[in-house]
Amino acid sequence: MFFASDNWAGAHSKIAERLLAESGGFASAYGTSDLDQKVEAKFSEIFERDVAVFFVATGTAANSLSLASVQKPGGISFCHTEAHVAEDECGAPDFFSGARLATVDGALGKIDPKALATKVARFPQDAVHHGRAAAITITQATEIGTVYSLSEIDAIASIAKENSLPLHMDGARFANALIALGASPAEMTWKRGVDILSFGGTKNGCWCAEAIVFFDPSKAREMHFIRKRAAQLFSKSRFIAAQFDGYFQDGLWLDLARHSNSMADRLRAGIENAPNAHLAWPTVSNEVFAIIPKSSAKAAEDKGAKFYEWPIPESQPELVGSNDTLIRLVTSFATTEADVANFLACLG
């Protein structure tokens, strides 16, 4: 019963097999191999347009270098208060870009467009002392398991366009969001006005495969140098390409996300029907947040369940009673129906 994080799951066998198949022989380095070029072309096919793709090792690298590529002196990037770039990346986006983050509130983990417009207006382009607006970043799926609808992305993109700001999407759980929305990759990104995407594979069955995707290749020229300077240019980059090659084969990446989302659906349904537990808020991706008795949490842990106790939101101090606890449960491609059933049994 491993629900602590989808990062805890291993690699899918088909991706491991593809990586092993590539392990022999010789191929040109630094992203110039035939396999690298094949996978880059596959990204263009998936997104229905020519894109520029840059492989990196981690989601933090993808986010930080994406924002670095569009920064300017005194630049401000706007993100949600609970965004991964603000809460969980140890200042890496600020470090690599030389800029800083400004957080924006919004319900259910999503930036409120009105609050964003107000915040952006505080940093006009001639605000020498305070800094100037430089970029907007949204997380899809969000840190609390929710997903921006297409119209909600449109609203954020409209503000970005009005202020001539690039829009970045942190897609660490991109496939999960895609399945939840029932949209195509193009519909959820550049057709909505997204300029740069951090495309995650690690949380969905890869070993360590992340990519930065520019939907206008002409704006990606500096990324070659930014990635090299940040020590993210792999000599044997074909091994990241091999992971993505297996990941995309026959739609595996979507099947894996569909499975993890369906396991989360089972958890959600079971928790809703439990007599002494309930969902903290509605989610649709592979993250579930539940309020359960501390005794049930202890019983589950004693039986081998792994999950995180989640901090109570500052805006909702009354959310959790004194005898209860707020937990996060994350499903993955490796989660089984038995895992879900055994956990729900701990709730009675």
Side-chain angles (χ1 to χ4, degrees):
M1 294 184 285
F2 290 92
F3 298 109
S5 174
D6 36 13
N7 280 328
W8 284 40
H12 190 272
S13 59
K14 290 184 179 179
I15 296 171
E17 289 166 6
R18 184 64 190 87
L19 193 58
L20 181 62
E22 191 62 29
S23 63
F26 294 82
S28 57
Y30 299 110
T32 61
S33 75
D34 290 343
L35 181 57
D36 284 281
Q37 294 175 33
K38 171 190 173 184
V39 172
E40 289 172 9
K42 183 64 175 180
F43 270 94
S44 294
E45 177 186 324
I46 286 170
F47 286 101
E48 304 174 40
R49 66 177 296 162
D50 287 336
V51 299
V53 182
F54 299 83
F55 301 148
V56 294
T58 68
T60 294
N63 291 336
S64 300
L65 302 189
S66 293
L67 293 176
S69 73
V70 295
Q71 284 304 332
K72 57 188 80 170
I76 308 289
S77 292
F78 302 89
C79 65
H80 190 268
T81 306
E82 299 167 356
H84 202 271
V85 290
E87 291 291 309
D88 296 290
E89 295 184 346
C90 198
D94 310 64
F95 177 80
F96 282 100
S97 69
R100 58 194 169 103
L101 296 170
T103 59
V104 183
D105 290 333
L108 296 175
K110 296 182 282 189
I111 292 175
D112 178 81
K114 291 183 179 179
L116 175 63
T118 299
K119 199 68 167 281
V120 169
R122 291 178 52 192
F123 299 96
Q125 294 302 307
D126 58 355
V128 173
H129 295 288
H130 303 294
R132 53 183 170 166
I136 299 169
T137 176
I138 61 174
T139 311
Q140 182 76 329
T142 74
E143 289 303 299
I144 63 167
T146 56
V147 169
Y148 285 88
S149 68
L150 298 185
S151 62
E152 287 172 329
I153 300 173
D154 282 336
I156 301 296
S158 177
I159 295 169
K161 185 175 181 180
E162 288 170 7
N163 292 275
S164 300
L165 302 177
L167 177 59
H168 166 257
M169 176 180 285
D170 174 358
R173 295 185 174 97
F174 183 83
N176 299 101
L178 206 63
I179 293 299
L181 276 186
S184 73
E187 289 169 340
M188 201 171 77
T189 55
W190 64 268
K191 288 187 177 182
R192 308 264 73 77
V194 175
D195 298 291
I196 310 171
L197 169 69
S198 294
F199 182 95
T202 305
K203 293 181 186 294
N204 194 36
C206 291
W207 291 76
C208 55
E210 308 288 317
I212 300 169
V213 180
F214 284 80
F215 295 108
D216 181 351
S218 70
K219 296 181 179 178
R221 297 188 183 98
E222 298 301 315
M223 180 55 73
H224 296 278
F225 298 94
I226 293 170
R227 180 176 61 169
K228 176 65 174 178
R229 184 179 63 183
Q232 288 290 320
L233 176 59
F234 287 79
S235 58
K236 296 182 180 181
S237 64
R238 76 181 194 268
F239 292 117
I240 295 183
Q243 293 176 68
F244 278 128
D245 194 37
Y247 189 57
F248 292 140
Q249 185 68 38
D250 298 324
L252 177 65
W253 67 298
L254 298 176
D255 290 338
L256 299 183
R258 190 174 291 111
H259 173 81
S260 59
N261 281 15
S262 69
M263 291 300 100
D265 287 341
R266 284 177 174 267
L267 272 176
R268 282 185 277 264
I271 291 167
E272 290 233 280
N273 290 324
N276 57 357
H278 61 277
L279 298 175
W281 49 77
T283 62
V284 294
S285 64
N286 65 318
E287 291 185 283
V288 179
F289 293 81
I291 298 170
I292 68 174
K294 292 178 180 178
S295 58
S296 296
K298 178 65 165 54
E301 289 176 326
D302 289 344
K303 292 181 180 180
K306 303 295 183 183
F307 52 85
Y308 282 129
E309 288 191 21
W310 203 252
I312 300 171
E314 293 181 5
S315 60
Q316 298 174 278
E318 74 291 343
L319 184 66
V320 181
S322 58
N323 295 322
D324 294 333
T325 186
L326 172 61
I327 64 170
R328 185 190 75 166
L329 304 162
V330 187
T331 57
S332 73
F333 77 93
T335 303
T336 67
E337 293 181 10
D339 292 329
V340 174
N342 289 338
F343 179 81
L344 293 175
C346 296
L347 303 182

